[in-house]
Amino acid sequence: MIAVIVPIYNTEKYLQETIDSVINQTLSFTSHVRLILLDDASTDGSLALCEEYQKQYPDNIVIKHYDENQGVSALRNQGLRMCREQGDELVTFLDSDDKLEESALERAVAYFKKHEDIHIATIELMCFGAVEEEQRLNWRFREAEVVDIKKQFNFPHYYVGGVFVRGDALQQLHFDETMNFWEDALAINQIIINEGKYGLIRGACYYYRKREDHSSLVDTAWRNKDRYTTFLETGYWRLFQYSRKKKHRIIPYVQYVVAYHMRLIMMKSKQAMIEEILTEEELENLRNDLQKLLKKIRVKIILSIPTSLPIIEGMLSMRAGKQVRAKRVYKDGDCVLVYKGVELARMSDRTVKLFHVIHDPQSEFDGMWRGRFCTPIYAMKVDDYIFAEHNGKRINSVEHPCGKQIFILGKRLRCYYHAGFAISIPKEWDRAVFGIHIAEANADILMNEIVFDEVKQIYFEEKTEENEEMETNEEE
């Protein structure tokens, strides 16, 4: 039998969709599936809904109700114990507001028949609800069916939803019941370290619900102070220690798992929230604790993380205890950002943005287009400028005041004092290719083409500061 473990707490609103996604699998529910519904002292109608389904499928649905809240890890552990006692061959996990793609179980069974040496595997993940998008680690499924973590250290895994376990992995898996964040990443990666490999099941999908009210455990964890204090010890350091215990060193895969996840703390979108939650002393402690962790991570691991240059430079600077910057190399009409021989970014891939035409007779910029070049990889100098080209004609911009800056954990990384500009565009131009002149290298680098009517449509139909800020946010 395939067992599906579902911890439940006050999710009556979504639970029917979750249960139906298991019952309506292409693999026969009545013949092959056991659904374990674990109700964690819900106060809504979740338990009653489970009981209605159990009446319809008494041989396939098991319910366990708790009068006092146990926590999601305790429920998953209880589900695992029940599966071991019943001798279930394959076990997977489903949160009570999420759902499975209809062929997920059938594809999982086929995968494990094909790969007899694999004891833990996962399916692709898609977000739905308030946000509909592909999970950014889904690229792995296009690259491999089996991940050998010695060779593919940069194929990390974190979440338990849609993970299938059997055999040795099923016997070893255990969730730390004292943790309220990252407990699934810790448990799953301990198994992956032991196994040395894990499977990627193509074509099957786990649908993770992004709630409108941001009330999921993942969303709320980022506003918990423990996320930036005790978690570093209970999460990152424990995984390091486990790797040392089992492999006598912190293997590259584990270094990458921690570094790739750590980048989230340094993203622009988290900075205001972190500074709001932490005191100055706590923020300084966080920087010090992260530095200790980063010293255990090799530079080549950090350089391999697919993220923005400020985050890479921020990690390297924190690790070194001093400011670290990528080297600018000018070649082939481009500016390439390089550190220790690794290319991290190219100026030609960046984007110049226009906002609107300035209408102010009292201003020296009246009638000119206002724009900004705030790229994470470069802060313009006083003698740099933006230019536009069209049909062999070139027009240079003039500087327009700009106060934009980038901070990571309270430390300023970039100041864009010279990044604002204004430029006079002839009325007959319908479009132009924009570029930057970098004075120190006497280099002109072409970037993106802008169609002026498209910009007018965006900014004249939605004249709000929020829209402007959204359009000028840096890549995280």
Side-chain angles (χ1 to χ4, degrees), residues 36-47:
I36 301 175
L37 303 175
L38 305 171
D39 182 60
D40 200 14
S42 293
T43 57
D44 62 359
S46 294
L47 179 59

Side-chain angles (χ1 to χ4, degrees), residues 388-390 393-395 425-432 452:
E389 292 185 351
H390 179 72
K393 184 177 180 180
R394 171 169 166 165
I395 296 175
I425 300 295
K427 293 182 178 180
E428 63 269 20
W429 286 19
D430 64 334
R431 66 191 65 215
F452 302 115

Side-chain angles (χ1 to χ4, degrees), residues 108-242:
V109 170
Y111 179 90
F112 282 104
K113 285 181 178 178
K114 179 180 178 183
H115 299 278
E116 295 182 356
D117 59 331
I118 298 298
H119 297 134
I120 181 168
T122 186
I123 60 179
E124 298 178 52
L125 189 147
M126 294 288 293
C127 297
F128 76 108
V131 176
E132 295 191 7
E133 63 183 9
E134 183 180 26
Q135 209 274 344
R136 63 184 300 156
L137 289 175
N138 280 359
W139 62 265
R140 296 170 298 165
F141 296 84
R142 296 185 285 272
E143 297 291 329
E145 283 191 12
V146 175
V147 174
D148 180 341
I149 63 172
K150 288 183 180 179
K151 300 176 182 177
Q152 297 153 302
F153 69 84
N154 58 340
F155 280 57
H157 191 73
Y158 299 94
Y159 42 87
V160 71
V163 166
F164 291 80
V165 291
R166 67 174 180 178
D168 292 342
L170 181 58
Q171 299 305 315
Q172 299 168 32
L173 186 57
H174 178 81
F175 298 92
D176 188 331
E177 298 177 15
T178 66
M179 296 177 67
N180 56 17
F181 180 80
W182 222 63
E183 75 289 337
D184 54 344
L186 179 62
I188 294 302
N189 278 295
Q190 287 174 338
I191 299 299
I192 291 174
I193 290 169
N194 291 336
E195 295 286 317
K197 56 189 172 183
Y198 71 93
L200 297 169
I201 304 171
R202 296 175 183 168
C205 191
Y206 182 100
Y207 288 96
Y208 172 77
R209 186 185 301 274
K210 297 289 286 185
R211 299 187 192 178
E212 296 283 352
D213 60 1
H214 305 288
S215 62
S216 70
L217 290 176
V218 173
D219 290 328
T220 56
W222 285 104
R223 290 200 162 273
N224 188 331
K225 182 173 288 192
D226 289 345
R227 172 66 183 82
Y228 311 100
T229 54
T230 57
F231 161 70
L232 300 185
E233 180 70 30
T234 60
Y236 294 158
W237 277 114
R238 278 186 62 190
L239 191 59
F240 279 180
Q241 292 163 359
Y242 192 85

